Amino acid sequence: MTRLPLVVLAALLLAPSTAFAQVKIGVINSMTGPQAPIGENLTNGIKLAEEDLKAKGISVQLVWEDDTGKPQVGLSAMDKLATRDRVAGVVGAYTSAVTNAVAKKAEEYKVPLVNPVASKEEITRQGYKYVFRVSATTGDYASILLDMATTLGKPKTIAILSENTDFGVSGAKSAKAYAEKKGIKVVFEEAYSPGSPDYRSTLVKVKGSNPDIMFMVSYVADAITLMRQSRELQLTPMAFLGAGAGFSTAQFASEKNISNSVFSSTQWTPDVSWKGSKAFGDRYQKRFGKEPTYHAANAYTAMMIMGEVASKAAGDREKVAAGLRAGNWDGLFGPVKFEDFDGYQNQNKHQMLVEQVQDGKYATVWPPALQSGKPIWPFPGWK
Amino acid sequence: MTIFLQSLLSGILIGGAYALIGVGLTIIFGVMRIINFAHGDLVMLGMYASYFLFTLGNVDPFVSIVFVFPLLFLFGAILQKTVINRVLNALPQNQILLTIGIGLILSNTMMLLFTSDYRIISTSYSSGSFRLGEISVSTPLLLSFGITGLVTAILYWFLLKTDTGQAIRATAQDRDAAQLMGVNVKRMSVLATGLGAGLAAVAGALISPTYYIFPQVGQPFTLKAFVIVVLGGMGSVMGATVGGIIIGATESLAGAYISSGLKDLVVYVLFLLILLFKPAGLFGKSRV
Amino acid sequence: MPPRTRTRTRARGLSAFSIVAFIAAVVLLALFPKFVENPYAVHLMVTFFLAVIMGEAWNLIGGYGGQYSVGHAAYFGIGAYTVLVLLQTNGVAPWWGLLPALALALGVAAIVGSITFRLRGPYFVLASIAVAEIFRLVALNWKSATNGAEGILLSGVPPIVIGGTEIVNFSSKVPFYYMGLALAVLTVLVTVWFQGSKLGYYLQAIREDQDAANSLGIPLTFYKNIALMISAFFTAWAGALYGLYVGFIDPQTAVGLDISVQIVLTAIIGGIGTVFGPVVGAAILVALSEALRSNAITDLLVAGGLVSETSSIGIFLKDHLSHAHMLIYGFLVAIVILFMPDGVLGAVNNAARRRRARAAAGGAR
C-alpha cells in the first residue's frame, strides 16, 4: 500500500508513451454468469495473443466487455464499442445466442467482427459482410465423429442424447441428419434438461434401445454425470461419442474410471501437429495453471488475426474488413481463411479433430494425417 | 418392467436427499413462517464444505457430514440472529425478498472466492454399482439413502423426545401460545434456522460425490424443495420426508415414460394441482 | 433523473409541482435523441424504459395489491414470443402481431388469476413461480411453434409504410426509443389513474387486510384479477418491444426466472405502491448494472486519480468489480428490505417528512 503513490506517479509518467497511435480492439465475452467457466478460456487465450502481438511490435489496446451470457447485454456492449470506444474491430462473443445478436449490430455499424467459437450455423449465413468466423460450425462436430466411426467400424444404429439448449439441440439435429445420410439408423433421440443429478431413467431407455454408438452433446459437468451413470448401468455401445464441450475438458479426462476410450470432436488439441500447438499448450498451462481447451486456441487465433489486420489497416474499419476478406493465416489453429461456400459467407473451413481419452489424457486420433495416437475401437468395456 | 423398476428405484434413492432438503425448509417455515429462498444456496454451501474437506483434508464426503452439519448449523443460527430475525414481523413478501437477497449474496460470494469453475468430487465409489437381478443399484446413492434414513431418525427422536425438540414443535404449532407457555420463541427460531441450514448442508454433502459443485448449483434445489414442502404440507416434517421421495420417483418415472426434457414440467404441474386442490398438503398443516 | 430533493413532492400524489416536473421530464426525454445521437446512450435509455414499464406494470398488482407475483416472466414471454413467432414464421407485421399478443396475455392472466388468487401470501408467490416455469418449459419444448432452445432470430423489423412512403424505419434505435418512452409514460399515467380509482382503492384495501376487505363486500378475486390483467397487458407489451428491439429471444432470456426477479426488484428497490417508485428503481438498477458490467466505476476512479490502473487495488477492482454485480444486487435488496422497507423513494420521502415535521415542531415552539 505504501508504494501506491509511486505507482500512481509511474503510471502517469508512462501513460502518454503507451497510449498513442494504438489500435483499439473490442472484446465481447461471457466473463460472468453461467457461461463464465468456459468464457475464462477465451479471456486467457486473448491475453496470450495480446502478449504475442506486442512481441511482434503490434500494440493494440483491448476494450473488454462482459456480456454476462445475455444477448441484450451483448448488444449494449456492441453499441458501446462501436460508438463510444470507436474500436477498429471486435473479437467475440462466446455463446451463439449472444453472437447472433452482436453480429447483426456489427453489420449495421460496419464494424468487423471476428467470432472465435460460436458454432451456430446461421450466424455466417445471413449475408453479412463484416462478420467473420474462425470457428467450425455445429454440423462439423457430428460429421467428423460419424466419418471416423464409419471408417473404423460398421455401426448400424445410433442413440442421440443432447441437452435441451441451443448448442445441444442444434448439435443433435445435425447429428441426426448426418447419421441418416450415412445410413445409420437413429434408434433413440432425446433432449434432457441440463443440471439434473439423475439421468438414470433416460440412460436405461438408451440401454433398452441397444445402440451401436452413442452420441452426446453436453456441457462440462453433465458429461461426467452422464458417463458415471452409464457406467453404473453398464451401458456398452461400440463407442461413446461426445460433441466437444463437456467431453473435451481436462477435468473430464482426469476422471479415468468413466472417461477412458470416450471420443470427442474438438476444434483444437495441444498435441495436434499444427505449428506451435504444443508450445501454446505448455505456455498456457504454465501461465494459468490449467490445460487450455479449444476455446482458448480459437480465441487466441481470432485475436492474432484481428490484431495484425487492424494494425496494418491503421484502425480503418473498411480496410480491416478488406484485410480479413483477403488474407490467409497459418498457425497453431491450422490454416485459416475466410471464404464463401455452401451458403456461408466469410466462414473459415476448419479441419475438425477427434480426440480420445487414453489413460486419463487426450490423444488426437483423427484424422489420421494429424493424429498423435491410434484410436482404440471398439469400446473395451468398463473396468 | 426393467425400465420401470430401475427408474423407480433410482428415483426413490435420489428422493432421499431431496427429502432432507425439504425437511430443512419445512422446519424453518414451521417455526418462523418464512419461506427461505436461499435454501438451495445452503445446500450449495454444504457441497463446498464437503468438497474442501475432501480435497484438503481427505475426508470422505459421507463422513464429512459430521463436520458440515455443525458448521452450517452455526452459520444458519448466526444468519437468523443477525439478519432474518429483523423481518420476523414484516410482510411475508418482504421476508421472501430478503431471502432472495441472501441467496444472491451467498452464491456470488462463493463465485468471487472460488470462481465459477465446476468442482467434481471423485471417490472410488462415485460411479460404483451392484446388480440386483435386471436392475443396477448405485452404491453411493444407496449409501446416501441409508445415511438420510439415519439422520431423519435422529431428527424425529430429537423433535419427539427431547424438551428442546418439543419446544420447537410447539412453536411451529402456535407461536403465540408457545410463548405464553414459557417457550423461548426467539431461541427456537435460531435453533430452527440452524437445524434447517444444517440439514440442507448434509443433503449437499450426500449428493456431492455423484454430482458437481458450482456457485449457482443451489437454485434448482430451492424450487424442488418448495414443491416437496407444499406436497407434504408446509411445516410437516413427516410430509417433507414422504414428499421428497414422491418427487424423486415422479421425476424419474416422468423421465422414463414421458421425456427427460419434460420431467420438470410434470413436477410443476403436480405442484400447482396440489396448491389448488389440497393446499394443506398430504400431511395437514401444523404437524411438525 | 431529477434531483432527489424534488422527488418527495412528486410521490405524494400529484401536486401541481409534480405535474409540471413530470411534463418537463417527458419533454426533455422526448428531445433527448435530437441532441444525443450516440446509440449507446440511446440503448441504455431503451433499457431503462423497458425496466420502467415492467416495474410500473408489476407495481399495480404487486405494489398496490400486495400480490407478489414472482412469475411475470410468463407475460413478458407471451408478448415476446407471440409477436416474434408471428413476424418471423408467418410474416405478420408486429403492430398487427401485438394485438393477439396482448389479447393472449389478458386471457392467460384471467385464467392464471382465477386459479392462483385463491392462494395467499407465500402460497401465491410459489404458485406464480410455478406458472412462469411451466411457460418457460412449454417455450422450450414446443419446438414447432417456438423453435425450442434454439430461439427465434429475427431477420429484421419491416418498416411502417403508409401509402407507399416509409414512415418509420426500424434499423435505427430511435423508433424503439420513442416507443419505449411512450409506453413508459403511458404506464405511469395508468398508475396515476389507478391510484385514484375505485379499483386502486379496493386493491389497497385488499393489501392492508384481505379479510376485512372481503367482509366489506369487496369481491377479492375479481378485483385482483382485473389488476393482474392490466399488469400482464403492459408486461406483455414490454416483452414484445424487447423481442423486436433485441431481435433474438430464447426461453431463458424471454421467460426465465431472473426476469421475474428483476421486475420485482425494480419495484421493491424504488419503492412499491407509489407512482414513481419503479421509475427510481429502474434508474438505479439499470445505471448500477451497466456501470458495474462495463467497469465504469473503476475507470472513473482511475480517471479521477483516486486509484492507479496498475496498482494492486486498481487491478483487483478491474478484475472483480464487474463480476460482483449480482453480489451488489443482493446487498442492495437486503439493505432495502432491512432498512428502507418503503424502497429508496420511500426512504427519501420519510426523511424529508421527518425533517419537515421537525422544522414544523421547531417553528411552533
Side-chain angles (χ1 to χ4, degrees):
Chain A
M1 290 304 121
T2 49
R3 278 183 303 153
L4 194 62
L6 271 181
V7 180
V8 173
L9 193 65
L12 285 175
L13 288 174
L14 286 174
S17 64
T18 49
F20 100 107
Q22 261 186 344
V23 173
K24 270 192 187 175
I25 295 174
V27 178
I28 301 178
N29 183 20
S30 305
M31 298 189 256
T32 63
Q35 320 291 349
I38 297 191
E40 190 194 337
N41 290 290
L42 277 87
T43 303
N44 293 344
I46 290 171
K47 280 184 181 159
L48 293 183
E50 194 184 5
E51 288 172 16
D52 287 0
L53 285 169
K54 200 164 272 170
K56 282 186 167 184
I58 300 169
S59 166
V60 291
Q61 189 194 342
L62 300 188
V63 185
W64 295 85
E65 292 290 328
D66 181 10
D67 62 40
T68 69
K70 294 184 185 143
Q72 72 272 30
V73 182
L75 284 183
S76 157
M78 191 70 202
D79 282 331
K80 176 171 171 290
L81 290 173
T83 63
R84 222 187 75 176
D85 299 313
R86 305 193 176 280
V87 295
V90 174
V91 172
Y94 162 46
T95 66
S96 290
V98 178
T99 308
N100 249 332
V102 164
K104 206 158 116 189
K105 283 284 145 202
E107 186 68 14
E108 269 172 43
Y109 287 124
K110 300 189 162 60
V111 173
L113 174 77
V114 176
N115 177 265
V117 285
S119 58
K120 197 180 178 65
E121 287 161 6
E122 286 88 329
I123 293 170
T124 42
R125 281 184 167 166
Q126 307 288 328
Y128 294 153
K129 291 189 175 64
Y130 295 86
V131 178
F132 302 82
R133 177 157 57 179
V134 169
S135 174
T137 61
T138 325
D140 302 334
Y141 281 87
S143 53
I144 183 85
L145 281 168
L146 294 179
D147 284 342
M148 179 194 74
T150 44
T151 316
L152 293 176
K154 292 271 167 290
K156 286 188 184 60
T157 53
I158 183 171
I160 300 173
L161 187 58
S162 69
E163 60 169 42
N164 202 352
T165 62
D166 183 19
F167 176 65
V169 171
S170 45
K173 220 196 264 172
S174 35
K176 187 180 182 190
Y178 201 74
E180 277 163 357
K181 204 170 120 193
K182 288 256 159 187
I184 306 172
K185 198 176 157 210
V186 180
V187 289
F188 178 89
E189 194 194 0
E190 203 163 284
Y192 64 84
S193 32
S196 164
D198 181 18
Y199 295 116
R200 294 174 184 87
S201 56
T202 310
L203 290 167
V204 77
K205 274 196 293 181
V206 174
K207 195 179 178 185
S209 72
N210 197 22
D212 285 343
I213 48 177
M214 186 166 164
F215 182 84
M216 290 170 282
V217 197
S218 311
Y219 270 112
V220 190
D222 285 324
I224 295 176
T225 312
L226 281 169
M227 290 310 296
R228 276 181 175 166
Q229 295 178 5
S230 296
R231 178 176 186 244
E232 241 177 50
L233 297 168
Q234 298 285 309
L235 226 70
T236 45
M238 243 181 240
F240 288 100
L241 310 173
F247 294 92
S248 59
T249 65
Q251 204 172 21
F252 179 75
S254 66
E255 299 287 310
K256 277 192 256 182
N257 270 338
I258 51 142
S259 61
N260 247 351
S261 308
V262 174
F263 291 99
S264 169
S265 46
T266 179
Q267 303 203 28
W268 178 85
T269 60
D271 65 359
V272 67
S273 55
W274 285 324
K275 195 167 59 193
S277 288
K278 177 131 186 28
F280 180 80
D282 292 344
R283 186 167 145 222
Y284 190 101
Q285 171 89 44
K286 216 164 154 190
R287 175 79 189 276
F288 303 108
K290 41 186 133 181
E291 257 183 61
T293 62
Y294 66 83
H295 308 91
N298 283 42
Y300 173 89
T301 307
M303 181 48 82
M304 285 305 282
I305 291 174
M306 179 57 97
E308 283 172 21
V309 174
S311 93
K312 206 176 288 170
D316 182 287
R317 287 176 185 168
E318 284 303 322
K319 283 186 194 156
V320 173
L324 288 169
R325 254 171 253 141
N328 65 79
W329 300 265
D330 195 9
L332 58 90
F333 197 63
V336 177
K337 188 169 170 33
F338 300 112
E339 296 172 89
D340 298 352
F341 62 95
D342 296 348
Y344 289 114
Q345 298 86 30
N346 296 322
Q347 167 67 45
N348 177 32
K349 233 186 235 173
H350 183 62
Q351 170 64 54
M352 289 295 288
L353 308 170
V354 177
E355 55 185 356
Q356 185 178 33
V357 182
Q358 297 182 350
D359 206 22
K361 285 218 155 48
Y362 283 111
T364 309
V365 297
W366 204 264
L370 295 168
Q371 70 187 186
S372 70
K374 291 256 170 290
I376 295 169
W377 180 283
F379 183 66
W382 300 101
K383 280 203 198 100
Chain B
M1 198 57 193
T2 317
I3 294 182
F4 178 76
L5 288 176
Q6 181 73 58
S7 307
L8 186 66
L9 179 81
S10 37
I12 289 174
L13 292 184
I14 202 113
Y18 291 173
L20 269 192
I21 304 174
V23 168
L25 188 72
T26 216
I27 289 178
I28 294 178
F29 180 82
V31 172
M32 296 190 298
R33 304 284 144 183
I34 286 182
I35 300 190
N36 178 20
F37 271 68
H39 206 65
D41 297 292
L42 297 170
V43 176
M44 178 271 297
L45 289 183
M47 289 179 163
Y48 269 98
S50 113
Y51 172 80
F52 285 115
L53 283 166
F54 178 74
T55 47
L56 303 176
N58 229 345
V59 182
D60 184 279
F62 288 153
V63 180
S64 76
I65 59 172
V66 295
F67 304 107
V68 171
F69 180 82
L71 196 70
L72 264 290
F73 180 92
L74 205 66
F75 180 81
I78 293 172
L79 193 66
Q80 203 287 336
K81 253 193 125 75
T82 54
V83 183
I84 299 175
N85 198 29
R86 292 163 179 268
V87 294
L88 275 190
N89 298 316
L91 289 170
Q93 296 87 329
N94 284 3
Q95 299 168 337
I96 288 173
L97 286 166
L98 180 68
T99 60
I100 290 181
I102 293 173
L104 285 175
I105 294 172
L106 292 182
S107 57
N108 287 286
T109 305
M110 292 308 274
M111 197 182 85
L112 279 187
L113 291 177
F114 305 114
T115 73
S116 42
D117 286 353
Y118 294 100
R119 317 266 167 171
I120 302 276
I121 295 185
S122 252
T123 57
S124 54
Y125 52 78
S126 276
S127 56
S129 64
F130 59 88
R131 298 201 73 76
L132 208 71
E134 274 295 293
I135 58 176
S136 75
V137 185
S138 154
T139 330
L141 270 196
L142 190 66
L143 266 172
S144 89
F145 192 76
I147 296 170
T148 305
L150 193 69
V151 171
T152 315
I154 296 172
L155 183 72
Y156 275 96
W157 169 81
F158 169 75
L159 289 175
L160 294 172
K161 301 286 174 197
T162 66
D163 289 346
T164 320
Q166 283 175 344
I168 290 182
R169 285 168 55 220
T171 315
Q173 237 154 42
D174 190 332
R175 207 179 163 85
D176 297 330
Q179 192 151 24
L180 287 175
M181 302 287 287
V183 173
N184 185 342
V185 179
K186 273 195 171 151
R187 196 166 143 258
M188 291 312 127
S189 301
V190 176
L191 277 179
T193 315
L195 206 55
L199 289 171
V202 167
L206 291 177
I207 302 171
S208 63
T210 51
Y211 198 45
Y212 44 84
I213 303 155
F214 64 103
Q216 272 78 30
V217 73
Q219 204 192 45
F221 290 109
T222 307
L223 293 181
K224 217 161 270 177
F226 293 159
V227 180
I228 291 166
V229 166
V230 169
L231 174 65
M234 288 239 205
S236 159
V237 173
M238 181 67 170
T241 316
V242 177
I245 289 170
I246 294 179
I247 292 301
T250 309
E251 268 189 5
S252 192
L253 290 172
Y257 291 103
I258 302 172
S259 155
S260 48
L262 290 174
K263 60 185 184 185
D264 293 336
L265 191 68
V266 173
V267 169
Y268 287 124
V269 171
L270 180 73
F271 178 58
L272 271 187
L273 292 178
I274 297 160
L275 272 178
L276 296 173
F277 297 110
K278 204 166 183 330
L282 296 176
F283 288 80
K285 243 181 180 172
S286 48
R287 218 196 294 171
V288 165
Chain C
M1 286 317 298
R4 274 190 182 171
T5 44
R6 247 182 252 163
T7 52
R8 69 168 183 243
T9 4
R10 286 161 118 219
R12 317 197 70 201
L14 288 184
S15 62
F17 177 77
S18 61
I19 293 173
V20 172
F22 179 65
I23 292 173
V26 172
V27 169
L28 278 179
L29 285 170
L31 294 173
F32 179 82
K34 298 271 173 260
F35 299 105
V36 183
E37 282 180 0
N38 185 326
Y40 177 55
V42 176
H43 170 80
L44 289 182
M45 291 308 290
V46 176
T47 315
F48 167 68
F49 293 144
L50 283 170
V52 170
I53 300 161
M54 292 188 279
E56 291 286 348
W58 183 88
N59 194 27
L60 298 179
I61 185 68
Y64 290 101
Q67 308 299 309
Y68 275 39
S69 155
V70 189
H72 263 49
Y75 310 112
F76 186 79
I78 286 172
Y81 265 103
T82 312
V83 170
L84 264 70
V85 165
L86 286 174
L87 174 58
Q88 189 63 21
T89 51
N90 306 346
V92 178
W95 39 98
W96 294 119
L98 191 62
L99 300 177
L102 298 179
L104 195 61
L106 285 176
V108 169
I111 296 169
V112 169
S114 54
I115 295 174
T116 58
F117 278 136
R118 282 198 260 159
L119 304 164
R120 287 187 181 187
Y123 291 92
F124 173 76
V125 174
L126 294 179
S128 69
I129 294 177
V131 168
E133 280 294 283
I134 288 173
F135 273 93
R136 183 181 65 83
L137 290 164
V138 168
L140 188 60
N141 289 290
W142 187 14
K143 290 200 186 86
S144 57
T146 64
N147 204 24
E150 291 175 271
I152 297 172
L153 176 66
L154 216 52
S155 22
V157 182
I160 300 181
V161 181
I162 297 176
T165 41
E166 203 173 278
I167 308 287
V168 186
N169 182 326
F170 288 98
S171 61
S172 131
K173 288 181 198 307
V174 176
F176 291 104
Y177 179 94
Y178 284 112
M179 287 196 288
L181 175 62
L183 197 51
V185 170
L186 182 60
T187 50
V188 169
L189 293 178
V190 166
T191 309
V192 171
W193 161 79
F194 184 88
Q195 193 172 249
S197 71
K198 193 175 80 176
L199 177 61
Y201 284 123
Y202 281 171
L203 270 160
Q204 291 179 62
I206 291 171
R207 177 184 67 193
E208 297 312 324
D209 190 336
Q210 291 214 28
D211 297 317
N214 195 26
S215 61
L216 287 175
I218 299 174
L220 300 181
T221 309
F222 176 76
Y223 283 108
K224 288 189 211 166
N225 252 340
I226 299 290
L228 179 68
M229 285 166 73
I230 301 174
S231 178
F233 181 85
F234 286 109
T235 310
W237 203 336
L241 195 56
Y242 168 89
L244 293 170
Y245 177 61
V246 173
F248 175 80
I249 53 167
D250 67 5
Q252 192 55 43
T253 54
V255 212
L257 185 57
D258 8 335
I259 297 172
S260 302
V261 173
Q262 196 80 20
I263 294 174
V264 181
L265 291 187
T266 307
I268 300 284
I269 287 178
I272 58 168
T274 59
V275 173
F276 291 105
V279 180
V280 173
I284 293 175
L285 287 186
V286 170
L288 184 72
S289 67
E290 182 62 17
L292 288 168
R293 185 199 66 78
S294 65
N295 248 328
I297 292 177
T298 317
D299 290 345
L300 206 67
L301 290 175
V302 170
L306 291 172
V307 177
S308 155
E309 198 164 8
T310 46
S311 72
S312 49
I313 298 178
I315 291 169
F316 178 84
L317 287 179
K318 216 159 182 125
D319 281 356
H320 289 92
L321 205 54
S322 67
H323 291 218
H325 65 268
M326 289 311 282
L327 183 64
I328 292 171
Y329 262 42
F331 277 113
L332 203 58
V333 176
I335 289 167
V336 166
I337 298 285
L338 289 176
F339 304 110
M340 328 174 187
D342 299 326
V344 171
L345 187 59
V348 172
N349 283 334
N350 290 341
R353 212 168 298 145
R354 268 198 302 277
R355 209 180 312 131
R356 260 197 316 258
R358 225 177 295 134
R365 223 182 288 143

